[in-house]
Each structure stands twice: as structure tokens, then as C-alpha cells.
Amino acid sequence: MINRQTLFQECYLLFPKQDDICYVMDKIKVRKIFEGQVEFDQQEMEILKQFEAYLISKRFMPKWTEPQLLRMLYATKFKFEKTYAAIQAYIQWRNQAFPLKENQETTKFLSSGSIYLHGRDNRFRPIIVVNAIKLAAQKNIDITLDSMTIFLEHVIANYTLPGQIENWVVVMDLGGLGITSLPRQQLQRVLDYLQNNYRSRMHKCYVVNCPGTITFSWNIVKGFLEEITVRKISFEKSSIPTGLFEHCHKSQVEQKYGGISQNIENNFWPPHEISQQYFLPTDNITDILISKQQYNQLYQFGKLSKNRLCKELLEDIRQSLQNTNTEQHLDKKMKEEVPDPEEEQQVINDLIQNNQDFYKPRIEELFEMPLCETKIQLPFNFIAHKKMLKY
């Protein structure tokens, strides 16, 4: 059963168009979708082949899929040495951070509203809200990072789909707080943590309620960020992330950020569905979602072998196929059991002939006339079943 709070049938029917999978931003190639049914171009496959040879030369070959390797390569601008170091750092982090253990302190952080999920855009990308003032109030950076890991892993596991929904949108509310008001060392650890461990996940970041000194602050902070990430971030001095509403229905956004959803004051964790209205009035849904029939065709042709499947969508086609197979089986059975008309006539005549000695004396005695042998013709609409002819 699909959990309506996390993933629903429409999510499985969304297959990104090529421009949403890979595009060029200011002469820089950006890939957002790596997994599932997505195919890589010849240049990407050649780079993967070269990088795998590089890793073998280092006697280091992690059990990673091509999408995982390519995600790292894109994030490091295809610099093999940097990618190699990034993979090692990532593996070390995973070994230290996992298995995840939610405790009283992380639950308290997640329930504080420092970071929480609120809605989806019109491509079902989850929207993450970060409250900078509350985040700055968290004194223990280790608890902060552990809590963010629990949160983001929950989002990936329950709100994304490989090959279909792999990115999120961030609304960062500075609340008038200067970015540099955060302890610099703490800020750098948070940014490094996000960049190194959740690469190519951010679709857009809208920074709202920025102070007048944001330009100065930003020039300092963007030195910590990769160029592609910098290009995805926009700033608003007001509380309204204007660009967000170009791809997000207002029912998915809180009123304090220009939406029409009630502001959340508590119950930040765990996340829950905000609204079932995702598309903009200008959206053509048939251009965004495929049909159930198309989804079933992709499944039948083996095009979803690397995707997470929606059992509910497949049950319909399975039931339909089962009904069709049953009907075909019955038709075949009936054809097998309905005899040839000539065979039918011969069997009945044999029955009459074999029992004629039993009836003939009685009929002749009763009617005082001889019984003539004749061929008995069946009515036109008579259909004999094979089982009738066995006796």
C-alpha cells in the first residue's frame, strides 16, 4: 500500500524530460538525474570507463554503481584525483554515521523546526525549509549534523524515486540574520557536510529575509561552495521566494513565505503531506505525467528494472492480464471440448444403431409396421459437448 504521506501514484508516473535530467547552465553541463531508467551519453560512458581504469590503477574499486560514480564525477568537475578523494571521504563518513540512531537529542533537534519538510513543487521535489536563527541556536555541531543526516536520509528513502525524483528544493530563512553571524567554523562544517555527502541533490535554494549586508556576507560564504551550487542559489530581502512559485503551487508553501498553507508552529517531525494540489494552473499534466497504461508498458518491456515500482499501478495490469488469460483459457478449453460436426453425427448414429435391436421389436409390435433405418439429422442449433458423447 502506498503511503500517501510520502509517495503516491502520481510520483511513479513522473518521468523527467531531457531538460530536467541534464542541461547546460552558463556553459556548464549540469546533470540532476542519475539513476533508474536514465541512460548516459557516449561522453559520460567514456569518462566512466577511464575513471574505473584510474581506480583500478589505485587498487581501489568500491562496489559503486555507475550512477554513483558519475554523481561524484560531476560534483568534482571530472577531476579524477579529487573524485577519488571525495569517494574515500564519503565512505569514511558512511562508516562513521551509519547505522543511523535517532536518540533523545536528535529527536529534540528535528522537532525544533531548525530544518523541516514542507510540501513539494510541481515535479514532486520535496521542499526543505531551514530556519537559520534556530539553527544558529544549536550549540552542539555534532548533534546538528547527526540530526541532519537522519532527516536527509529519511527524505531520500521516503520522498524521492531513483530516475524520477532525485532532487530537493531549499528555502533558507535567514530571519535578518547575517550569514556570518553563524560561527564560521560551524558554518563551514555544515556546508562541507552537505556538499560532500549529498552531491547533486539540490535543485534550487531560495534564501529569504536577507539582511542588507548579504552581498558582503555572500562573497565570503560562496568561497566554501562549488561553482554549480553557487549558481543554484538566489536571494530575497523579503520573505517571499519569488522564483519558487514558478514551479510550485502556493498550497505547498506557508503563508509567511507567500503561500496559502497555514504556518507550522509545531509538529515539524516526522513530515506529513501539506496539500494534494501540486500543479500550477498553467501546467499541462499530460506533459508531466505518463498514463497508467504507459507505465505498465514500460514495465512489460523491462524499462523499469532499475526503478522502484508501484505495486498498486501494476496490480491493475496484472488483474487485466489474469482476466484475459482466463478468458483465453476458457475459449481454448471450449474449442477443445466442442467436437467436429461430422464426428458428432457419426457418434449419435452409432448410438442409435447399437441400440436399434432393443427398440425395433417393441416399435414394430406397437405400431404394426417395420422400423426403417435412417440417418438422424441434428437440429441446426444443437451443440454437443464432448462429455455428453463419452457415454
Side-chain angles (χ1 to χ4, degrees):
M1 178 67 68
I2 293 175
N3 182 354
R4 179 80 212 179
Q5 299 292 338
T6 55
L7 293 169
F8 37 91
Q9 287 191 6
E10 292 88 344
C11 293
Y12 293 88
L13 296 176
L14 183 143
F15 286 84
K17 301 294 188 293
Q18 188 57 41
D19 289 344
D20 292 323
I21 294 173
C22 194
Y23 63 98
V24 177
M25 177 190 290
D26 297 334
K27 298 182 180 180
I28 298 176
K29 187 177 181 180
V30 180
R31 175 175 280 278
K32 295 190 295 182
I33 305 295
F34 293 83
E35 302 178 60
Q37 77 294 339
V38 172
E39 297 180 353
F40 304 139
D41 61 34
Q42 186 175 353
Q43 183 181 12
E44 290 170 331
M45 293 302 296
E46 182 60 32
I47 290 173
L48 279 169
K49 185 178 179 180
Q50 293 174 8
F51 183 62
E52 287 172 355
Y54 172 85
L55 292 178
I56 291 173
S57 71
K58 294 287 186 179
R59 297 183 179 180
F60 176 76
M61 196 62 199
K63 295 180 180 179
W64 280 30
T65 63
E66 289 182 340
Q68 288 176 309
L69 293 174
L70 194 61
R71 188 184 291 274
M72 283 289 188
L73 284 164
Y74 264 98
T76 57
K77 297 181 181 179
F78 303 99
K79 296 177 181 178
F80 287 2
E81 290 185 8
K82 191 175 179 180
T83 307
Y84 171 57
I87 292 174
Q88 288 183 311
Y90 179 81
I91 292 174
Q92 183 179 1
W93 169 74
R94 295 284 297 191
N95 290 337
Q96 293 174 348
F98 292 77
L100 297 174
K101 295 180 180 179
E102 188 172 346
N103 53 43
Q104 187 175 356
E105 291 178 318
T106 57
T107 300
K108 182 179 178 180
F109 176 95
L110 293 170
S111 301
S112 70
S114 298
I115 180 171
Y116 59 96
L117 202 65
H118 197 284
R120 294 176 180 267
D121 73 356
N122 66 346
R123 296 301 185 274
F124 305 134
R125 290 177 283 242
I127 301 171
I128 298 172
V129 181
V130 179
N131 186 312
I133 293 179
K134 290 183 178 181
L135 193 62
Q138 303 293 334
K139 302 302 181 184
N140 190 323
I141 184 62
D142 292 323
I143 296 297
T144 297
L145 296 181
D146 287 347
S147 302
M148 292 179 73
T149 300
I150 293 170
F151 174 81
L152 294 174
E153 290 297 320
H154 177 83
V155 171
I156 291 173
N158 297 284
Y159 289 83
T160 67
L161 285 173
Q164 295 170 271
I165 308 166
E166 294 187 14
N167 312 107
W168 50 58
V169 178
V170 177
V171 176
M172 177 173 284
D173 184 357
L174 293 183
L177 184 71
I179 296 177
T180 53
S181 297
L182 289 170
R184 183 165 181 167
Q185 185 177 2
Q186 181 175 332
L187 176 63
Q188 186 167 357
R189 277 194 67 182
V190 171
L191 294 175
D192 287 344
Y193 158 85
L194 292 171
Q195 281 193 140
N196 296 337
N197 304 321
Y198 296 97
R199 296 177 182 272
S200 302
R201 289 289 182 183
M202 189 173 74
H203 172 65
K204 290 283 186 182
C205 178
Y206 301 97
V207 185
V208 299
N209 291 318
C210 297
T213 57
I214 186 62
T215 303
F216 172 75
S217 302
W218 177 236
N219 287 334
I220 297 174
V221 172
K222 70 180 181 180
F224 304 150
L225 302 174
E226 293 166 354
E227 185 177 356
I228 292 176
T229 302
V230 170
R231 294 170 184 268
K232 295 178 181 179
I233 301 174
S234 61
F235 298 91
E236 296 282 353
K237 291 185 178 180
S238 71
S239 62
I240 312 300
T242 307
L244 176 62
F245 297 109
E246 295 177 4
H247 58 99
C248 182
H249 194 275
K250 288 194 172 185
S251 65
Q252 301 292 327
V253 182
E254 293 172 87
Q255 292 175 0
K256 62 184 177 182
Y257 299 127
I260 58 176
S261 177
Q262 292 292 323
N263 295 333
I264 294 183
E265 303 298 338
N266 48 40
N267 297 324
F268 295 102
W269 179 258
H272 58 276
E273 186 180 46
I274 301 302
S275 165
Q276 294 186 15
Q277 193 167 6
Y278 297 97
F279 301 110
L280 302 174
T282 55
D283 285 335
N284 185 347
I285 299 178
T286 57
D287 288 340
I288 299 174
L289 305 181
I290 66 171
S291 66
K292 291 182 181 181
Q293 290 75 19
Q294 289 172 312
Y295 184 84
N296 287 315
Q297 287 174 356
L298 289 174
Y299 173 75
Q300 288 178 288
F301 294 146
K303 299 295 185 180
L304 301 179
S305 60
K306 297 180 181 179
N307 295 66
R308 284 166 60 186
L309 298 176
C310 176
K311 295 180 180 179
E312 283 84 349
L313 285 173
L314 296 177
E315 280 176 2
D316 293 340
I317 188 63
R318 286 172 181 167
Q319 185 62 45
S320 176
L321 286 173
Q322 185 177 358
N323 293 339
T324 301
N325 291 336
T326 301
E327 291 175 3
Q328 291 175 348
H329 176 72
L330 290 174
D331 289 343
K332 182 179 179 182
K333 189 174 180 63
M334 287 298 293
K335 287 178 181 178
E336 290 175 350
E337 294 183 346
V338 174
D340 182 78
E342 293 184 2
E343 176 189 359
E344 206 175 278
Q345 182 68 62
Q346 182 61 47
V347 171
I348 293 174
N349 285 337
D350 289 343
L351 286 171
I352 298 296
Q353 183 67 39
N354 293 336
N355 290 278
Q356 188 165 273
D357 291 339
F358 175 78
Y359 291 108
K360 181 176 180 182
R362 299 186 184 188
I363 293 174
E364 290 179 344
E365 180 182 352
L366 180 63
F367 294 99
E368 297 181 352
M369 60 182 294
L371 178 65
C372 300
E373 295 183 7
T374 183
K375 182 178 181 180
I376 300 174
Q377 181 67 43
L378 293 173
F380 176 77
N381 61 351
F382 180 83
I383 298 177
H385 197 279
K386 271 188 177 180
K387 290 180 180 178
M388 297 168 55
L389 307 180
K390 292 180 180 179
Y391 305 99

